[in-house]
Amino acid sequence: MCGIVGYIGYRDAYPVIINGLKRLEYRGYDSAGIALVDNLKPVIYKVKGKVSDLETFVGDGNRNGYMGMGHTRWATHGEPNDNNAHPHVSMNGKFVIVHNGIIENYSFLKKKLASRGYSFKTDTDTEVLANLIEYIYLFAKVSAADAVSLALRKVVGAYGIVVFCVDEPEQLIAARKSSPLVVGIGQNEYFIASDASPFVDYTNQVVYLDDENLAVIGKGAVQIKTIKNDIVNAEVRKIDFDAEEIEKGGFDHFMLKEIFEQPKSLRDTFRGRIDEHHSSLQLGGIMPVMPKLINARRLIIVGCGTSWHAGLLGEYLFEEYARVPVEVEYASEFRYRNPIINSEDVVIAISQSGETADTLAAIQLAKKCGACVIAICNVVGSSISRVADAGVYTHAGPEIGVASTKAFTAQVSVLTMMALFIGRAKFNISAEKYTELITELNSVPEKIEELLKTASAVKHVAEKYKDSSNFLYLGRGCYYPVALEGALKLKEISYIHAEGYPAAEMKHGPIALIDEKMPVIFIACQDKSYEKIVSNIQEVKARKGVVIAIVSEGDKTVSAMADHVLEVPKFNTAVGALTAVVPLQLLSYYIAVMRGCNVDQPRNLAKSVTVE
Ligand code: G6P
């Protein structure tokens, strides 16, 4: 939700910030803006649209300056227009600010400031914060950094901010709470951004700011303290992803690249975890909490969007192998109930970004109730990975496309490894079976590699049904979450209405929708509910529905009934979900491209949802 980049050093700040913003556009792309500090004065450009629109708008204008800040927005308060775009300037022009998050008590603060003579030019909560900082600065006659700290102590809500004060023009002030900020430390230059991708070309030394930390970034040093003025001895860490990973690498879109990267990303997920004989698993991240996991009364899996779908698959896996009761919850629902949790429960939070506000809040609630929390995250050093008691990184590499693909298969792979690991530790799985299951899991990257060679068959189906207005996705058992994920992918990027359902539930409602115009996608791989799903397909055919079936290779029965079949490798276990989802990812991709949609930046969405 909004991307922030700040720079202070010896380079021209404009290209550093603009290129950095482009890498953060996955966080929002309603409007974009930049403030450069030239001759100690801010020069500001902001415009509705994408970073490329900002570049056009700047044109041949003044682009000088060795420091500055930029912002790409996902609107919360105030419609996306030029005026509401960031940066915002305080009423007397003393402060310039970019902000990611929501100031929840902004209307209370706005009224207070208005009663003290402040007026507002925009509808944003950010301008209120700018004016609050300025008011404190002028009234209390403190330093800019102290004014920021004091203002933030009055704020309820979430913020990642970068602030510039015209009276102290050789420094940037950054602070965060519940919205990520990372400081990049180069040689005589510093970067600040919502994640490290904007500055990986320049440095791999980073400091992750913690909640309520404030960094004063000058030309030669960074000082970090809390907003209550306590000095923080922040750890400088080394990050290990390179710039190539965040380029399109010859693909038309990040999403396509990420779909095709799955063999590699899964190998990375397995690396160092599956031994060469496939007889054991190493999950160092959860070792400290294994006694808790083995003795857990219940597992509660929380997540949002695609991560929640991975959680639903986790339910099958943990119940099957670890033999422990599992509940899967939308983080946003869980956090607002009064859930009954105690220290015998283990909560598993799944999040690609590790920054999703609802998932983070669910973790905090679970911890307060005494539960042990394990995180499954992709982004190393993210907020969720840092607040959890233990965790397993998916190591899928940066995922830029807003629609999640490789992160999903990596999450499901981690859940599979965890379920097997716990199952074996509890003696639910024999050594022989354990090896068989690990071998099956380890074969998935190679199987996906083969499967991707048949992408043109999926394209053919896409061509035929790209103009449909509705799709139904049906699956049973472990293929039910796959159906949900397939439907989500289609609606996210092609704006076609799509619903996922357990196949047997079809007759309790969705069957009423079926006619010759309704493509119904069945995930009909051969497993224990295969016979049942065959009957469901017949029910659809009897009502003239169009059936597109994902089937296990060599399938004859469904192939004889369906209008189109797409074959996937045959598995006897829930591992099949990892391959069955791939043609559905491709189908949504091709349909979206054929409909002229912006695949990587679908309307209204953002990849990292750091607001409620
Ligand atoms: C957004 C993204 C989805 C993602 C969800 C959860 O809605 O567009 O792709 O699944 O957030 O994100 P997380 O980073 O927590 O997995």
Side-chain angles (χ1 to χ4, degrees), residues 304-307 350-354 356 359 402-404 411 492 606-607 609:
C304 303
T306 290
S307 297
I350 308 177
S351 174
Q352 186 286 128
S353 62
T356 302
T359 310
V402 166
S404 184
Q411 289 165 343
E492 274 180 313
K607 185 144 191 77
V609 182

PDB file of all heavy atoms in Angstrom, residues 304-307 350-354 356 359 402-404 411 492 606-607 609, ligand 1:
ATOM      1  N   CYS A 304      -4.387 -13.975   4.278  1.00  0.00           N
ATOM      2  CA  CYS A 304      -5.340 -13.237   3.439  1.00  0.00           C
ATOM      3  C   CYS A 304      -5.104 -13.633   1.986  1.00  0.00           C
ATOM      4  O   CYS A 304      -3.981 -13.993   1.612  1.00  0.00           O
ATOM      5  CB  CYS A 304      -5.110 -11.733   3.538  1.00  0.00           C
ATOM      6  SG  CYS A 304      -5.218 -11.088   5.197  1.00  0.00           S
ATOM      7  N   GLY A 305      -6.142 -13.505   1.177  1.00  0.00           N
ATOM      8  CA  GLY A 305      -6.017 -13.714  -0.267  1.00  0.00           C
ATOM      9  C   GLY A 305      -5.445 -15.077  -0.602  1.00  0.00           C
ATOM     10  O   GLY A 305      -5.856 -16.108  -0.047  1.00  0.00           O
ATOM     11  N   THR A 306      -4.466 -15.071  -1.480  1.00  0.00           N
ATOM     12  CA  THR A 306      -3.838 -16.318  -1.911  1.00  0.00           C
ATOM     13  C   THR A 306      -3.205 -17.068  -0.738  1.00  0.00           C
ATOM     14  O   THR A 306      -3.235 -18.300  -0.684  1.00  0.00           O
ATOM     15  CB  THR A 306      -2.794 -15.990  -3.001  1.00  0.00           C
ATOM     16  OG1 THR A 306      -3.499 -15.580  -4.162  1.00  0.00           O
ATOM     17  CG2 THR A 306      -1.922 -17.169  -3.337  1.00  0.00           C
ATOM     18  N   SER A 307      -2.654 -16.328   0.194  1.00  0.00           N
ATOM     19  CA  SER A 307      -2.027 -16.984   1.355  1.00  0.00           C
ATOM     20  C   SER A 307      -3.067 -17.755   2.171  1.00  0.00           C
ATOM     21  O   SER A 307      -2.768 -18.795   2.754  1.00  0.00           O
ATOM     22  CB  SER A 307      -1.333 -15.948   2.236  1.00  0.00           C
ATOM     23  OG  SER A 307      -0.301 -15.329   1.519  1.00  0.00           O
ATOM     24  N   ILE A 350       0.541 -17.024   7.381  1.00  0.00           N
ATOM     25  CA  ILE A 350       1.132 -17.140   6.040  1.00  0.00           C
ATOM     26  C   ILE A 350       1.024 -15.791   5.344  1.00  0.00           C
ATOM     27  O   ILE A 350      -0.056 -15.203   5.277  1.00  0.00           O
ATOM     28  CB  ILE A 350       0.394 -18.209   5.196  1.00  0.00           C
ATOM     29  CG1 ILE A 350       0.301 -19.526   5.978  1.00  0.00           C
ATOM     30  CG2 ILE A 350       1.103 -18.425   3.869  1.00  0.00           C
ATOM     31  CD1 ILE A 350      -0.474 -20.611   5.250  1.00  0.00           C
ATOM     32  N   SER A 351       2.144 -15.315   4.809  1.00  0.00           N
ATOM     33  CA  SER A 351       2.118 -14.033   4.103  1.00  0.00           C
ATOM     34  C   SER A 351       3.317 -13.926   3.164  1.00  0.00           C
ATOM     35  O   SER A 351       4.455 -14.077   3.606  1.00  0.00           O
ATOM     36  CB  SER A 351       2.154 -12.887   5.112  1.00  0.00           C
ATOM     37  OG  SER A 351       2.273 -11.658   4.449  1.00  0.00           O
ATOM     38  N   GLN A 352       3.033 -13.707   1.891  1.00  0.00           N
ATOM     39  CA  GLN A 352       4.125 -13.512   0.939  1.00  0.00           C
ATOM     40  C   GLN A 352       4.951 -12.302   1.364  1.00  0.00           C
ATOM     41  O   GLN A 352       6.147 -12.389   1.539  1.00  0.00           O
ATOM     42  CB  GLN A 352       3.529 -13.293  -0.465  1.00  0.00           C
ATOM     43  CG  GLN A 352       4.518 -13.217  -1.617  1.00  0.00           C
ATOM     44  CD  GLN A 352       5.319 -11.940  -1.706  1.00  0.00           C
ATOM     45  OE1 GLN A 352       6.548 -11.973  -1.790  1.00  0.00           O
ATOM     46  NE2 GLN A 352       4.665 -10.801  -1.658  1.00  0.00           N
ATOM     47  N   SER A 353       4.287 -11.167   1.509  1.00  0.00           N
ATOM     48  CA  SER A 353       5.005  -9.912   1.778  1.00  0.00           C
ATOM     49  C   SER A 353       5.528  -9.830   3.196  1.00  0.00           C
ATOM     50  O   SER A 353       6.500  -9.148   3.472  1.00  0.00           O
ATOM     51  CB  SER A 353       4.063  -8.731   1.545  1.00  0.00           C
ATOM     52  OG  SER A 353       2.975  -8.813   2.457  1.00  0.00           O
ATOM     53  N   GLY A 354       4.827 -10.509   4.105  1.00  0.00           N
ATOM     54  CA  GLY A 354       5.177 -10.376   5.518  1.00  0.00           C
ATOM     55  C   GLY A 354       4.772  -9.029   6.091  1.00  0.00           C
ATOM     56  O   GLY A 354       5.205  -8.650   7.176  1.00  0.00           O
ATOM     57  N   THR A 356       1.230  -7.749   5.513  1.00  0.00           N
ATOM     58  CA  THR A 356      -0.219  -7.560   5.462  1.00  0.00           C
ATOM     59  C   THR A 356      -0.760  -7.180   6.844  1.00  0.00           C
ATOM     60  O   THR A 356      -0.570  -7.912   7.825  1.00  0.00           O
ATOM     61  CB  THR A 356      -0.886  -8.845   4.927  1.00  0.00           C
ATOM     62  OG1 THR A 356      -0.324  -9.091   3.658  1.00  0.00           O
ATOM     63  CG2 THR A 356      -2.384  -8.704   4.813  1.00  0.00           C
ATOM     64  N   THR A 359      -2.950  -9.665   8.854  1.00  0.00           N
ATOM     65  CA  THR A 359      -2.227 -10.861   9.316  1.00  0.00           C
ATOM     66  C   THR A 359      -1.321 -10.490  10.493  1.00  0.00           C
ATOM     67  O   THR A 359      -1.239 -11.225  11.486  1.00  0.00           O
ATOM     68  CB  THR A 359      -1.416 -11.471   8.151  1.00  0.00           C
ATOM     69  OG1 THR A 359      -2.294 -11.607   7.039  1.00  0.00           O
ATOM     70  CG2 THR A 359      -0.848 -12.823   8.504  1.00  0.00           C
ATOM     71  N   VAL A 402       1.186  -8.509  -9.174  1.00  0.00           N
ATOM     72  CA  VAL A 402       0.245  -8.366  -8.052  1.00  0.00           C
ATOM     73  C   VAL A 402      -0.468  -9.694  -7.775  1.00  0.00           C
ATOM     74  O   VAL A 402      -0.703 -10.062  -6.626  1.00  0.00           O
ATOM     75  CB  VAL A 402      -0.739  -7.200  -8.320  1.00  0.00           C
ATOM     76  CG1 VAL A 402      -1.922  -7.246  -7.372  1.00  0.00           C
ATOM     77  CG2 VAL A 402       0.000  -5.873  -8.147  1.00  0.00           C
ATOM     78  N   ALA A 403      -0.800 -10.430  -8.835  1.00  0.00           N
ATOM     79  CA  ALA A 403      -1.445 -11.736  -8.626  1.00  0.00           C
ATOM     80  C   ALA A 403      -0.361 -12.743  -8.225  1.00  0.00           C
ATOM     81  O   ALA A 403       0.592 -12.971  -8.948  1.00  0.00           O
ATOM     82  CB  ALA A 403      -2.132 -12.177  -9.910  1.00  0.00           C
ATOM     83  N   SER A 404      -0.543 -13.316  -7.070  1.00  0.00           N
ATOM     84  CA  SER A 404       0.489 -14.208  -6.526  1.00  0.00           C
ATOM     85  C   SER A 404       0.480 -15.559  -7.243  1.00  0.00           C
ATOM     86  O   SER A 404      -0.574 -16.150  -7.463  1.00  0.00           O
ATOM     87  CB  SER A 404       0.202 -14.398  -5.038  1.00  0.00           C
ATOM     88  OG  SER A 404       1.208 -15.164  -4.448  1.00  0.00           O
ATOM     89  N   GLN A 411       4.517 -21.507  -0.691  1.00  0.00           N
ATOM     90  CA  GLN A 411       3.857 -21.609   0.622  1.00  0.00           C
ATOM     91  C   GLN A 411       3.320 -23.027   0.848  1.00  0.00           C
ATOM     92  O   GLN A 411       3.487 -23.615   1.917  1.00  0.00           O
ATOM     93  CB  GLN A 411       2.677 -20.628   0.695  1.00  0.00           C
ATOM     94  CG  GLN A 411       3.100 -19.175   0.782  1.00  0.00           C
ATOM     95  CD  GLN A 411       1.963 -18.200   0.489  1.00  0.00           C
ATOM     96  OE1 GLN A 411       0.932 -18.577  -0.075  1.00  0.00           O
ATOM     97  NE2 GLN A 411       2.143 -16.942   0.856  1.00  0.00           N
ATOM     98  N   GLU A 492      -8.977 -11.309 -10.336  1.00  0.00           N
ATOM     99  CA  GLU A 492      -7.975 -10.276 -10.031  1.00  0.00           C
ATOM    100  C   GLU A 492      -7.462  -9.580 -11.285  1.00  0.00           C
ATOM    101  O   GLU A 492      -7.340  -8.364 -11.319  1.00  0.00           O
ATOM    102  CB  GLU A 492      -6.740 -10.914  -9.364  1.00  0.00           C
ATOM    103  CG  GLU A 492      -6.812 -11.087  -7.886  1.00  0.00           C
ATOM    104  CD  GLU A 492      -5.528 -11.724  -7.341  1.00  0.00           C
ATOM    105  OE1 GLU A 492      -5.041 -12.729  -7.893  1.00  0.00           O
ATOM    106  OE2 GLU A 492      -5.023 -11.213  -6.345  1.00  0.00           O
ATOM    107  N   ALA A 606      -3.413  -3.904  -4.855  1.00  0.00           N
ATOM    108  CA  ALA A 606      -2.006  -3.651  -4.525  1.00  0.00           C
ATOM    109  C   ALA A 606      -1.456  -4.955  -3.982  1.00  0.00           C
ATOM    110  O   ALA A 606      -2.208  -5.789  -3.471  1.00  0.00           O
ATOM    111  CB  ALA A 606      -1.880  -2.567  -3.479  1.00  0.00           C
ATOM    112  N   LYS A 607      -0.177  -5.134  -4.109  1.00  0.00           N
ATOM    113  CA  LYS A 607       0.388  -6.410  -3.705  1.00  0.00           C
ATOM    114  C   LYS A 607       0.535  -6.523  -2.203  1.00  0.00           C
ATOM    115  O   LYS A 607       0.358  -7.586  -1.625  1.00  0.00           O
ATOM    116  CB  LYS A 607       1.752  -6.589  -4.363  1.00  0.00           C
ATOM    117  CG  LYS A 607       2.345  -7.943  -4.084  1.00  0.00           C
ATOM    118  CD  LYS A 607       3.108  -8.475  -5.240  1.00  0.00           C
ATOM    119  CE  LYS A 607       3.459  -9.926  -5.042  1.00  0.00           C
ATOM    120  NZ  LYS A 607       2.318 -10.801  -5.291  1.00  0.00           N
ATOM    121  N   VAL A 609      -0.758  -5.224   1.273  1.00  0.00           N
ATOM    122  CA  VAL A 609      -1.896  -4.478   1.814  1.00  0.00           C
ATOM    123  C   VAL A 609      -1.609  -4.127   3.274  1.00  0.00           C
ATOM    124  O   VAL A 609      -1.922  -4.896   4.178  1.00  0.00           O
ATOM    125  CB  VAL A 609      -3.203  -5.271   1.631  1.00  0.00           C
ATOM    126  CG1 VAL A 609      -4.391  -4.484   2.147  1.00  0.00           C
ATOM    127  CG2 VAL A 609      -3.402  -5.600   0.159  1.00  0.00           C
TER     128      VAL A 609
HETATM  129  C1  G6P B   1      -3.061  -8.821  -1.689  1.00  0.00           C
HETATM  130  C2  G6P B   1      -2.377  -9.407  -2.903  1.00  0.00           C
HETATM  131  C3  G6P B   1      -2.592 -10.919  -2.943  1.00  0.00           C
HETATM  132  C4  G6P B   1      -2.114 -11.550  -1.641  1.00  0.00           C
HETATM  133  C5  G6P B   1      -2.770 -10.892  -0.422  1.00  0.00           C
HETATM  134  C6  G6P B   1      -2.104 -11.344   0.864  1.00  0.00           C
HETATM  135  O1  G6P B   1      -4.426  -8.913  -1.824  1.00  0.00           O
HETATM  136  O2  G6P B   1      -2.873  -8.813  -4.076  1.00  0.00           O
HETATM  137  O3  G6P B   1      -1.869 -11.469  -4.025  1.00  0.00           O
HETATM  138  O4  G6P B   1      -2.419 -12.910  -1.657  1.00  0.00           O
HETATM  139  O5  G6P B   1      -2.628  -9.476  -0.494  1.00  0.00           O
HETATM  140  O6  G6P B   1      -0.777 -10.886   0.865  1.00  0.00           O
HETATM  141  P1  G6P B   1       0.386 -11.535   1.651  1.00  0.00           P
HETATM  142  O7  G6P B   1       1.594 -10.719   1.314  1.00  0.00           O
HETATM  143  O8  G6P B   1       0.034 -11.448   3.106  1.00  0.00           O
HETATM  144  O9  G6P B   1       0.533 -12.951   1.218  1.00  0.00           O
END
